Amino acid sequence: MGDMTELKAREDKLQGTGTSMLRKEDARFIRGQGSYVDDIQLPGMLFGALVRSPHAHARIKSIDKAAAKAVPGVVAVLTADDLKPVKLHWMPTLGGDVQAVLADGKVCFQYQEVAMVLATDRYAAADGAALVEVDYEELPAIVDPKKAMAPDAPVIREDIAEKKEVGHGPRTHPNHIFTWEAGDKAAADAAFATAAVTVREEILNPRVHPCPLEPCGCVASFDKGTGALTVYMTTQAPHLVRTVLAMLSGIPESKIRVVAGDIGGGFGNKVPVYPGYVVAIVASIVTGVPVKWIETRIENISTTGFARDYHGVGELAADADGRIKALRFTALADHGAFNSHVSATKFPAGLFSICTGSYAIPNAYARVDAVYTNKAPGGVAYRCSLRVTEAIYLIERMVDVLAQKLGLDKAEIRRRNFVQAEQFPYTTAFGWTLDSGNYHPALEKVLQACDYEGLRREQAARRADPNAPTLMGIGLATFTEILGAGPTSVCDILGIGLFDSCEIRVHPTGAAIARMGTMSQGQGHATTYAQIIATELGLPASDIVVEEGDTDKAPYGAGTWGSRSTPVSGAATAQAARKIRDKARKIAAHLLEVAEGDLEWEIDRFTVKGNPSQWKTMKEICMVAHTGNLPAGMEPGLNAVTYYDPPNMTYPFGAYLCVVDVDKFTGEVKMRRFYALDDCGTRINPMIIEGQIHGGLTEAFAVAMGQQMPFDEAGNHLGNTLLDYFLPTAMETPHWETDYTVTPSPHHPIGAKGVAESPHVGGIPCMSNAVIDAFAHLGVTHMDMPHSAWRVWQKCNELGINKRQTP
Amino acid sequence: MANTHEVAFKLNGKDVQVSVVPRELLIHTLRDRLAHTGPHVGCETSHCGACTVDLDGMSVKSCTVLTVQCDGAELFTVEGLQQAGELHAIQQAFHEEHALQCGYCTPGMLIRAWRLLQETPEPTEQDIRYGLAGNLCRCTGYQNIVKAVQSAARKVADHKVAAQAPSA
Ligand code: FES
Ligand code: FES
């Protein structure tokens, strides 16, 4: 054993798991040298601009390209008819449906893609797009999902009107997509029938947009000589996209290369395959030159990857002490005109069935009915694992509603219903097995840090004063996430299992390169994965290069969404590193002429047990592995690849508290304090984790306080610029306080669970709960998001509390 | 091309000349013609600030400036922040304080923060938040960006760096 300072120095040098190593990827970004898709310029490249429908529902009578083609620089105008010969006018969606790539005789939502104009520069392309003349015959539009299944509702998808099934389950109406059920309805109903208390609330998760700062786009380049297709694109799942492109185009998958360079944020928005990508690819195949298509912000907000639109009903049944006996949750899901929901195939409603949250609820039943409407296709998992936000929002709201009905404190009702530490692994009424958790201490830590009792006293005083200009609300959310999609036995997309991968090559000098099936959009993978390898292999993280996003280089994986990178690829990384360390151990034993069992691993080397002056460092072994003094029969080199299929999902959790002051006269909500405690198991890079939490909370704040996509009766999108759609600036974003506990996942090789979505999933209900709590003493049990000043003011007005009291 | 104009300006201290049609936007001239891909396009409507550059001593959104308006101007972009290969204090601070994630807003943030520090060398948190309100970030939640600007301000005060224009 070396002395402690020496050991510490060696450990520090590695910057492994647990250290707040500064990010390896920053250098290029702070110099303005990132490589985003719009930075790609290829010789002879054409620009594509999409022509989009002004109507939400209309038949296309004719398309006249002549004026567009006359614009100098315009090379071609493509419509569905041009895509038909190559059979690319329709494409499969990730939700098991089909979607028109360019409108085929009819448009089903406003801004739907109708044609693409190709030109030698972006200005000419835009000019041409403005001059494509489309003759439309308007049809009645359905905007309200509640009206979609009316007997006389207009049929939105005539192409599949006769189909009995679209992806999932039988259809009962031409505008019906699926009904999905989970849990035991009879048992839940029975529990409701005999319960001492029941509560019910209609709860909306409005349609919102993830809105990463970089819009979507691609540069498609088809090489006629080799028949190879290269697509540079904004994608969170390059391998899955390559598979889809191969299935679509008939080009062998081995001849398709998808390159996701730097990606300017994803948040779920960059998982689906959008029509623009496909048209650009076809255009490149047809013209033989590279084609660039980049969305404008208006296109992005109005058509690309919505989330939510869950019209939910929550019900809880409990005994008189507030112990929950049963839960019933249903939702009507507005999927827009094409079901492009990103979901594991077996879960049409995603992982919505995590809706029991952190609570031991014996009986539960959930149902989701999905319908088509004349809106852009929805269903991306916005900073959550497939409908977890909707699920946790429902349960966290309903627990508050129940507490209110019982006159119980909100912290107390949570304490009474939490799954107990000794119950883990705990299988929920929906069949998910929560791997580990320790909910009580997490909640108590937060309550103490924020002086919950003191806050409640302050609130009571405020409530007692009718002249107080503000209402005070205290929000709590104690949530459980479900991350790490996922075990191939239950999770797949298009039939492909959701495993992930890592390949590590260690070079003679001890520097290494690692490649993964995931794809960073700002999560700091290059640093995090390097730190895992540093700890496992005893090689400094600074010498380990991490590459992702190029399908020619990286092994197959399902990509980065649903916070699956650390739970799945992080596990693959640790296991690949361990394979290498096992081989290194054999080499060390050979060099030191001892048995493998006589060696022990110490930070960066193998030492001989009982003889600590005898060792071989990993660095020395790396060289030997490439020089020849190896055990008889051993292959040279130190490489390994792992495809990791997780045995279970991981279940990080958290306890959040938020304090708001609501101005009775303006309706403005001021967030005084937000305290977030997260438990994501083993913490690889605390600095990066904290950054993810800040970002997630800020997105939660946007959803809770201001985001919603408005439509009028005709299906017109009312506001598709950043002026209309609320993205918080530094001015309105609150200050975030963070804290943590550590409860490792028992099945993950290093105990890590994933974190980036938790603050969004837990933050939104926490903020909502705080705003509604401000009104709780006035008998208010629920208010829908977003809690904008206008809506909150309306509530104040309705309650008559915004009148000046005359003394 | 018909109706093109010769426009000359100083870009990060170097003289450049371009020939553009009147409607060409500065962001496209910088990115597509001059290969300065630091400034990014996020919205094209002056809301997001990803395209922010410094034009004659002011932060402007280059998505809503015509290149022809820049004749004779002095322009700085993020590419001009480092000097002789050395990171500017503000760049260093963004790295140290983890003030960036996807990096897409970062060039605009940096060049805006640099101008902010020229105008307000000792900013309060409120000054910084207000000063950066024209630059959206969807990843970081701003907290670390604020910290980075504060730290850069201290560095500048301590070491007298960045009192001058970058790369000039
Ligand atoms: S692109 Fe110029 S402000 Fe957004
Ligand atoms: S770091 Fe991604 S937008 Fe700011």
Side-chain angles (χ1 to χ4, degrees), chain B residues 17-39:
Chain B
Q17 193 160 9
V18 288
S19 170
V20 296
V21 294
R23 63 172 172 172
E24 183 160 314
L25 296 167
L26 178 57
I27 183 70
H28 294 143
T29 305
L30 291 172
R31 290 179 49 82
D32 298 347
R33 282 182 203 280
L34 299 169
H36 279 50
T37 53

Side-chain angles (χ1 to χ4, degrees), chain A residues 607-631:
Chain A
T607 58
V608 176
K609 279 185 198 162
N611 189 0
S613 62
Q614 289 275 77
W615 71 67
K616 285 290 165 199
T617 67
M618 193 65 194
K619 237 179 152 149
E620 293 172 279
I621 297 167
C622 294
M623 186 55 80
V624 172
H626 293 82
T627 53
N629 183 15
L630 294 172

Side-chain angles (χ1 to χ4, degrees), chain B residues 104-122:
Chain B
Y104 202 72
C105 70
T106 309
M109 283 283 180
L110 287 168
I111 203 78
R112 172 62 201 139
W114 170 72
R115 174 54 59 196
L116 176 70
L117 290 184
Q118 311 295 301
E119 293 162 351
T120 317
E122 287 173 45

Side-chain angles (χ1 to χ4, degrees), chain A residues 292-464:
Chain A
K292 177 187 274 192
W293 165 72
I294 305 286
E295 263 181 354
T296 64
R297 177 57 58 186
I298 290 174
E299 291 180 290
N300 179 258
I301 294 186
S302 54
T303 63
T304 307
F306 293 99
R308 318 282 154 78
D309 226 338
Y310 256 47
H311 303 245
V313 176
E315 291 177 281
L316 293 180
D319 65 19
D321 293 335
R323 287 195 175 74
I324 303 169
K325 296 290 163 214
L327 158 167
R328 281 195 302 229
F329 283 175
T330 59
L332 181 63
D334 181 345
H335 283 216
F338 301 96
N339 181 28
S340 66
H341 252 54
V342 179
S343 268
T345 308
K346 294 185 182 68
F347 298 100
L351 308 180
F352 183 73
S353 53
I354 190 65
C355 61
T356 47
S358 305
Y359 312 107
I361 302 178
N363 304 293
Y365 169 72
R367 194 184 85 205
V368 176
D369 288 287
V371 296
Y372 290 119
T373 60
N374 289 112
K375 291 184 195 148
V380 305
Y382 176 15
R383 208 165 184 139
C384 80
S385 336
L386 317 164
R387 265 56 73 195
V388 174
T389 315
E390 292 88 331
I392 297 300
Y393 189 74
L394 261 164
I395 185 68
E396 285 305 298
R397 276 276 49 246
M398 288 311 298
V399 167
D400 264 24
V401 172
L402 179 63
Q404 210 172 332
K405 173 130 183 190
L406 288 164
L408 249 183
D409 183 82
K410 292 164 186 203
E412 183 53 27
I413 198 164
R414 287 175 164 82
R415 282 186 198 114
R416 288 187 194 175
N417 286 291
F418 276 155
V419 177
Q420 313 277 327
E422 59 278 7
Q423 288 176 285
F424 289 96
Y426 176 85
T427 302
T428 72
F430 290 116
W432 297 110
T433 301
L434 312 183
D435 58 348
S436 64
N438 200 3
Y439 302 148
H440 288 91
L443 174 61
E444 300 311 328
K445 197 173 179 195
V446 171
L447 296 180
Q448 214 160 20
C450 299
D451 183 21
Y452 183 66
E453 294 307 324
L455 287 170
R456 280 287 176 221
R457 280 193 298 274
E458 184 190 344
Q459 186 185 43
R462 184 89 61 93
R463 284 176 174 174

Side-chain angles (χ1 to χ4, degrees), chain A residues 128-362:
Chain A
L131 291 173
V132 173
E133 282 168 34
V134 185
D135 189 7
Y136 295 99
E137 175 197 325
E138 262 192 89
L139 299 170
I142 302 176
V143 181
D144 180 354
K146 292 182 177 138
K147 294 183 184 156
M149 300 243 285
D152 58 344
V155 177
I156 296 172
R157 293 287 303 283
E158 281 146 1
D159 60 300
I160 51 158
E162 300 306 316
K163 277 203 170 169
K164 300 270 177 285
E165 211 169 282
V166 195
H168 310 284
R171 302 172 70 211
T172 57
H173 184 284
N175 293 332
H176 177 233
I177 308 174
F178 63 76
T179 297
W180 164 90
E181 293 173 291
D184 185 338
K185 185 166 191 307
D189 289 350
F192 266 85
T194 56
V197 200
T198 62
V199 282
R200 180 185 188 278
E201 217 50 73
E202 284 184 29
I203 290 174
L204 173 68
N205 270 277
R207 177 170 272 236
V208 292
H209 191 268
C211 223
L213 201 57
E214 176 202 39
C216 293
C218 73
V219 179
S221 179
F222 182 71
D223 182 329
K224 278 207 156 91
T226 61
L229 171 70
T230 305
V231 192
Y232 302 86
M233 69 191 288
T234 49
T235 178
Q236 298 177 228
H239 297 275
L240 285 180
V241 168
R242 184 188 58 187
T243 303
V244 172
L245 295 181
M247 283 153 77
L248 265 166
S249 66
I251 298 172
E253 197 167 351
S254 46
K255 284 200 171 188
I256 300 178
R257 178 178 173 209
V258 171
V259 185
D262 290 320
I263 305 286
F267 319 121
N269 190 233
K270 290 170 181 167
V271 178
V273 177
Y274 295 115
Y277 298 140
V278 178
V279 191
I281 289 166
V282 177
S284 178
I285 293 172
V286 171
T287 59
V289 292
V291 173
K292 177 187 274 192
W293 165 72
I294 305 286
E295 263 181 354
T296 64
R297 177 57 58 186
I298 290 174
E299 291 180 290
N300 179 258
I301 294 186
S302 54
T303 63
T304 307
F306 293 99
R308 318 282 154 78
D309 226 338
Y310 256 47
H311 303 245
V313 176
E315 291 177 281
L316 293 180
D319 65 19
D321 293 335
R323 287 195 175 74
I324 303 169
K325 296 290 163 214
L327 158 167
R328 281 195 302 229
F329 283 175
T330 59
L332 181 63
D334 181 345
H335 283 216
F338 301 96
N339 181 28
S340 66
H341 252 54
V342 179
S343 268
T345 308
K346 294 185 182 68
F347 298 100
L351 308 180
F352 183 73
S353 53
I354 190 65
C355 61
T356 47
S358 305
Y359 312 107
I361 302 178

